[in-house]
Amino acid sequence: MSQDPAVVGSRRSRVLVTGHRGYIGAVLTRLLVEAGHDVIGLDSDLYRGCTFGPPEALLDVPTISGDVRDVQVEDLDGIDAVMHLAALSNDPLGDLDPGLTFEINHAASVRLARLARDAGVKRYIFSSSCSNYGAAGGSMLDETAELHPVTPYGQSKVMVERDVATLATDDFSPTFLRNATAYGVSPRLRFDIVLNNLVAWAFTTGQVMIKSDGSPWRPIVHIEDISRAFLTVLAAPRELIHNVAFNVGATTENYQIRDIAAIVADVVPDCRVGFADGASPDTRDYRVDCDRIRERLGFETRWDARRGAQELLDAYRAVGVTLAEFEGPRYQRIGHIRSLLLTGALDGQLRFVSERPAGRSTGSTVGP
């Protein structure tokens, strides 16, 4: 068995992970610690109370408890690399307030990169997205393809790549990881992404419910493989990753939604495929070529859709996921945020009212 490039040649680094208590961040943090790195987390913990499985599954590391918009240069003292995941994390959440999406996902990300460069941080690894490609009509796209994002979320990712690329110097190396659509089990599980969602429908109702017409193409990748890609970039020679974008996934793992549904129906016993009322084509339609990260960095994914579906089914069985939990706000990002807004726990800037920085405006931007 070949050695993992995420480990080979790596040295112990002090890594700041923003969003370390999120869906991907919780898994990335564990893998970094297991690889021997010193990890400092930064997270406002919007999804506290949303842990899936035992609480101890969420690894405890030194943490800056706060909003990515409030990072100060001293927070970055002694940091070798920033892995930036903190964001409003999907299209529906980004649509809640596009202006706030750009403030958090774009402006705060660029500001963080500038502060990191000023603090002497050597590497800035940004969690971007294949949604940057947007409406591509199912064409196979590599990293040189034009970007056509169709949502504020995708647009914000494109803007970060554009602006952070200009900050690159001989001493500061940004890298942009355009992750395929994520799936897999995490202590901060989400049900609002395609494979996780379809397996949950199948397990709780006996039906694989498709909300589009099933025709759009989507690349998918396990969150453990996304996390390993971050570690691979951290370990790679600078000249291979300096100011470069990588599609993260496997070229073989592009599926039409109906094909993902068929895999789920084959994995989950006694279920059938169905279409939601009003199902229609999704404008997000793209396939990606992931050969660059494989050829340049030796990175290979370890998961595929069938194995991921089985992992999800086993986890849902172990925890006893119910339809009420699946459809409720706890594991749906937009539903959880709306619930916090309705109860007044969050203000219109998506800050916890009880933790609002002194002297900060409380003017509402997002309403319930």
Side-chain angles (χ1 to χ4, degrees), residues 111-194:
R111 177 178 175 272
L112 175 63
R114 189 173 290 111
L115 289 174
R117 187 186 65 175
D118 293 347
V121 175
K122 297 297 184 184
R123 298 196 180 189
Y124 182 88
I125 309 173
F126 177 62
S127 188
S128 192
S129 173
C130 283
S131 66
N132 293 7
Y133 299 115
S139 299
M140 185 69 77
L141 306 170
D142 67 14
E143 292 86 350
T144 65
E146 291 186 12
L147 305 178
H148 298 287
V150 297
T151 65
Y153 171 79
Q155 291 162 8
S156 71
K157 296 290 188 181
V158 171
M159 292 164 66
V160 173
E161 289 194 23
R162 178 198 68 197
D163 294 347
V164 171
T166 67
L167 301 177
T169 68
D170 290 345
D171 297 314
F172 180 70
S173 297
T175 307
F176 310 102
L177 297 185
R178 295 177 182 167
N179 305 318
T181 299
Y183 67 86
V185 176
S186 165
R188 287 288 167 87
L189 188 69
R190 293 173 54 183
F191 285 141
D192 52 6
I193 41 184
V194 60

Side-chain angles (χ1 to χ4, degrees), residues 193 226 238 259 303 309 322 360:
I193 41 184
I226 293 174
R238 174 188 175 276
D259 296 329
W303 291 79
T322 66
R360 186 170 298 279

